[in-house]
Amino acid sequence: KAGVTQTPRYLIKTRGQQVTLSCSPISGHRSVSWYQQTPGQGLQFLFEYFSETQRNKGNFPGRFSGRQFSNSRSEMNVSTLELGDSALYLCASSSGTGSEQFFGPGTRLTVL
Amino acid sequence: AQTVTQSQPEMSVQEAETVTLSCTYDTSESDYYLFWYKQPPSRQMILVIRQEAYKQQNATENRFSVNFQKAAKSFSLKISDSQLGDAAMYFCAHYLGNAGNMLTFGGGTRLMVKP
């Protein structure tokens, strides 16, 4: 089985721009979660989607949004980028509640 | 809200020796899961071991084992016969099954393995 894939792997944007990151889960997995990893704040949960529905959302401003498609692929969007949005964005997929979450390699976003 | 604390920012161990990484958590729930994840320099998060809170028996996976103390809300990871490939960041994580698939992570412990 192919693992979780994330595209792009690296992104450089400037303040005020918007960005869309993509995550393709393991085949058959219906849950996709997103996390932000920074040196200062560590790993923080952004949101989780299951069967195209957002089930949970972390404490992030409304500039961070996401969606999930019928094939379980998920995208997250960050609008009006700020310098503090520079981070590694990780997505994880799982088959259901309580199951192991498999992480993708991450997208490294740099905001200049 | 759940919190996870890893009090050791860095640890080092001699190759072939044993090391224990500490983790404490706080939750008011009784049904949850605990995990240890490894993040090598490649940044790929890898599940090391998992523990269901309702199970009294400590989980083991080859050289990795945990000491789960539910009443004390403690969840330490023991790595036996340490290998150079064990060098990485280790994250303890708490998971509530009724809150969507949300993991709450500790701040991490950087493990260095000396040859």
Side-chain angles (χ1 to χ4, degrees):
Chain A
K1 256 186 185 179
V4 179
T5 57
Q6 291 187 247
T7 57
R9 294 293 311 279
Y10 302 92
L11 262 181
I12 299 176
K13 293 285 187 178
T14 56
R15 277 182 299 173
Q17 287 187 310
Q18 76 163 17
V19 67
T20 299
L21 312 182
S22 180
C23 173
S24 293
I26 291 170
S27 177
H29 285 189
R30 294 161 66 187
S31 167
V32 174
S33 302
W34 288 89
Y35 296 86
Q36 181 196 64
Q37 185 175 24
T38 60
Q41 300 298 317
L43 279 152
Q44 294 185 286
F45 172 80
L46 280 155
F47 29 65
E48 186 243 1
Y49 287 87
F50 184 87
S51 294
E52 301 180 66
T53 300
Q54 186 182 90
R55 291 201 297 185
N56 202 353
K57 189 178 192 310
N59 189 24
F60 278 82
R63 301 185 296 107
F64 291 82
S65 62
R67 59 177 175 169
Q68 186 179 35
F69 302 95
S70 58
N71 62 357
S72 293
R73 188 178 71 86
S74 176
E75 288 181 348
M76 67 163 282
N77 185 76
V78 188
S79 62
T80 320
L81 284 165
E82 300 177 359
L83 295 178
D85 297 334
S86 295
L88 179 69
Y89 290 88
L90 295 165
C91 84
S93 80
S94 76
S95 57
T97 300
S99 302
E100 177 183 350
Q101 293 194 42
F102 295 85
F103 282 82
T107 293
R108 166 75 65 188
L109 171 65
T110 302
V111 181
L112 302 176
Chain B
Q2 283 59 240
T3 60
V4 179
T5 302
Q6 293 178 247
S7 59
Q8 307 150 316
E10 277 191 3
M11 293 279 287
S12 69
V13 63
Q14 206 70 35
E15 197 177 4
E17 298 293 304
T18 296
V19 64
T20 299
L21 309 184
S22 301
C23 172
T24 58
Y25 60 94
D26 190 20
T27 182
S28 57
E29 304 290 332
S30 58
D31 185 19
Y32 53 88
Y33 300 77
L34 295 163
F35 301 88
W36 279 98
Y37 279 90
K38 170 184 176 182
Q39 188 179 43
S42 68
R43 299 300 203 133
Q44 179 75 53
M45 295 284 280
I46 302 162
L47 179 67
V48 174
I49 201 163
R50 150 198 173 127
Q51 174 80 44
E52 290 92 339
Y54 65 86
K55 289 187 177 178
Q56 292 187 333
Q57 187 173 7
N58 289 323
T60 61
E61 285 287 341
N62 301 314
R63 298 182 295 107
F64 299 88
S65 61
V66 297
N67 183 2
F68 173 48
Q69 301 290 326
K70 191 173 183 179
K73 296 181 181 175
S74 169
F75 182 61
S76 61
L77 173 71
K78 185 170 84 170
I79 306 174
S80 304
D81 186 26
S82 296
Q83 301 175 359
L84 295 178
D86 295 334
M89 284 290 291
Y90 285 83
F91 293 95
C92 176
H94 175 279
Y95 169 90
L96 272 183
N98 62 358
N101 277 330
M102 180 181 86
L103 288 167
T104 301
F105 286 92
T109 296
R110 181 175 303 283
L111 177 67
M112 294 172 286
V113 181
K114 299 176 182 177

